[in-house]
Amino acid sequence: MQSIIFKGLGRYLPETRVTNEVLSQRVDTSDEWIRTRTGIGERRIAQAHETVTFMGTQAAQQALEQAGLKAEQIDLLIVATMSPEMLTPSTACLIQKHLGTRGGAFDIQAACSGFVYALDIATQMLRSGAYQHILVIGTEKLSSFIDWEDRSTCVLFGDGAGAAVLGTLAQTGVGILKNTLGADGQGAGCFEIPAGGSLRPACQQTLSNRDHYIKMNGRELFKTIVPLLEQETLRFLTAQNLTLADIDWIIPHQANVRILESLCKRLDYPMEQVFLNLEHYGNTSAASIPLALMEALEQKKVLPGQTLLLMAFGAGLTWGFSLIKWPL
């Protein structure tokens, strides 16, 4: 059997940095308040021309260059985003127009778990033998959906894009070994953008109520997600006959350092082996894991032969894990 591997990674981060100090001039908050509750020090905020299509295209071009492939060699394009430019056409089709890839193109929406969901879809399609190269992109412009008057949410999010070219390798036991996905719709109310869909299309009332912005019950989300992740992490590893001692690095969705610290305490897993970069970028939703993976590789934290656990969790509620043996 062939292995499914990352052939190239790419990213795009807006140039504009918004520090906690800058935010504190806009809302009633402070650097200390934000850092102690989230671990975030700054975030990137996209300008008008830096759309999800633009950012996703830039990240994809870098991933293609690293993979040594041309756009026309991509058989399928999958985009994970919860902040599309419009309901239709898909962001994937808009990016395809700029890249010139061939084959299918579609979006998926699993909020912050989107990249791992897309990885699983791409993995299964590559294993079918019907595809040779698949481009997966997580791209988000969450600043368009932030209520800048709500200090409980506006401090959390940032913009950016990450991309990966997946392909096959004639070697067994490396690359993406196993993925698993999960969801629990009972937790849907913890994080939502209430208006803008077919249930509550834009009108004067939804605009007045600020219902087109992110609404989050942070306390309930924290209380729910930590024990859920503990349970699902152990379940996933047990199914692979592994323990946390077999994992060299956890590369999680970069949401909140308190969530990750609490989870590691429950799992008895060292925080030193959890790769974090949310201090610089905040929560970039579907873009956060590819951004973190690429940075971990650049910093030589991840080494050939090591075992990684990608861990995603987000609105829905959704979650997903990807077990990876980085090739030698």
Side-chain angles (χ1 to χ4, degrees):
M1 289 181 62
Q2 292 183 317
S3 294
I4 311 302
I5 64 166
F6 290 81
K7 290 199 165 185
L9 290 164
R11 67 168 168 240
Y12 181 85
L13 290 161
E15 290 186 9
T16 303
R17 301 169 187 258
V18 176
T19 64
N20 293 342
E21 287 83 358
V22 170
L23 270 184
S24 67
Q25 298 169 17
R26 185 168 186 173
V27 294
D28 181 20
T29 189
S30 68
D31 178 63
E32 181 185 11
W33 190 92
I34 298 169
R35 284 183 184 272
T36 56
R37 287 161 177 79
T38 69
I40 299 168
E42 62 180 17
R43 69 286 296 144
R44 303 292 182 94
I45 300 298
Q47 299 304 302
H49 73 282
E50 293 171 310
T51 64
V52 288
T53 297
F54 176 84
M55 293 189 289
T57 300
Q58 299 300 310
Q61 288 172 335
Q62 188 177 20
L64 286 167
E65 183 178 348
Q66 191 179 103
L69 294 172
K70 296 180 179 179
E72 51 266 31
Q73 292 176 275
I74 296 298
D75 304 307
L76 183 66
L77 172 58
I78 307 173
V79 172
T81 185
M82 62 170 281
S83 52
E85 294 177 25
M86 59 192 80
L87 290 177
T88 191
S90 69
T91 301
C93 283
L94 297 176
I95 291 175
Q96 187 192 53
K97 178 179 71 172
H98 294 285
L99 287 178
T101 61
R102 61 185 179 89
F106 62 89
D107 289 359
I108 66 160
Q109 213 282 57
C112 302
S113 303
F115 187 79
V116 171
Y117 267 60
L119 274 189
D120 188 40
I121 294 168
T123 299
Q124 303 306 327
M125 289 182 158
L126 286 165
R127 283 182 177 151
S128 75
Y131 301 86
Q132 290 185 317
H133 299 106
I134 297 179
L135 177 58
V136 175
I137 303 170
T139 180
E140 302 282 14
K141 191 172 181 177
L142 296 174
S143 59
S144 295
F145 298 91
I146 290 173
D147 184 349
W148 293 103
E149 296 180 7
D150 178 8
R151 75 166 186 170
S152 68
T153 57
C154 73
V155 303
L156 300 175
F157 301 101
D159 302 329
V165 174
L166 300 182
T168 59
L169 179 68
Q171 179 184 344
T172 59
V174 297
I176 299 175
L177 305 179
K178 184 70 176 178
N179 302 311
T180 191
L181 308 177
D184 180 4
Q186 297 297 322
C190 289
F191 187 109
E192 61 183 5
I193 300 174
S198 60
L199 177 65
R200 299 182 64 199
C203 66
Q204 188 58 53
Q205 184 178 7
T206 63
L207 292 172
S208 298
N209 292 343
R210 308 181 74 79
D211 288 335
H212 297 269
Y213 295 127
I214 291 169
K215 310 291 184 183
M216 186 179 75
N217 184 336
R219 186 169 298 177
E220 186 64 28
L221 191 61
F222 183 95
K223 190 169 67 175
T224 302
I225 205 69
V226 173
L228 185 149
L229 285 175
E230 177 191 17
Q231 171 186 302
E232 295 300 324
T233 299
L234 295 175
R235 178 182 297 175
F236 177 61
L237 292 176
T238 299
Q240 315 313 314
N241 294 315
L242 297 173
T243 69
L244 281 159
D246 298 303
I247 305 300
D248 295 295
W249 283 99
I250 291 178
I251 300 183
H253 165 51
Q254 308 288 308
N256 184 307
V257 73
R258 278 187 171 182
I259 290 176
L260 298 172
E261 287 174 343
S262 297
L263 176 63
C264 284
K265 186 175 181 179
R266 293 173 74 120
L267 292 172
D268 194 24
Y269 188 82
M271 273 296 290
E272 293 76 19
Q273 289 172 241
V274 178
F275 185 82
L276 297 174
N277 64 0
L278 82 164
E279 178 184 359
H280 305 293
Y281 311 125
N283 182 343
T284 56
S285 188
S288 76
I289 285 181
L291 288 172
L293 177 59
M294 188 172 184
E295 200 162 299
L297 288 162
E298 288 177 338
Q299 294 179 14
K300 300 190 184 305
K301 301 284 188 181
V302 173
L303 300 174
Q306 288 187 330
T307 301
L308 318 180
L309 181 66
L310 307 188
M311 175 189 292
F313 50 95
L317 295 170
T318 60
W319 61 89
F321 299 91
S322 184
L323 182 68
I324 300 169
K325 184 81 167 182
W326 206 257
L328 295 170

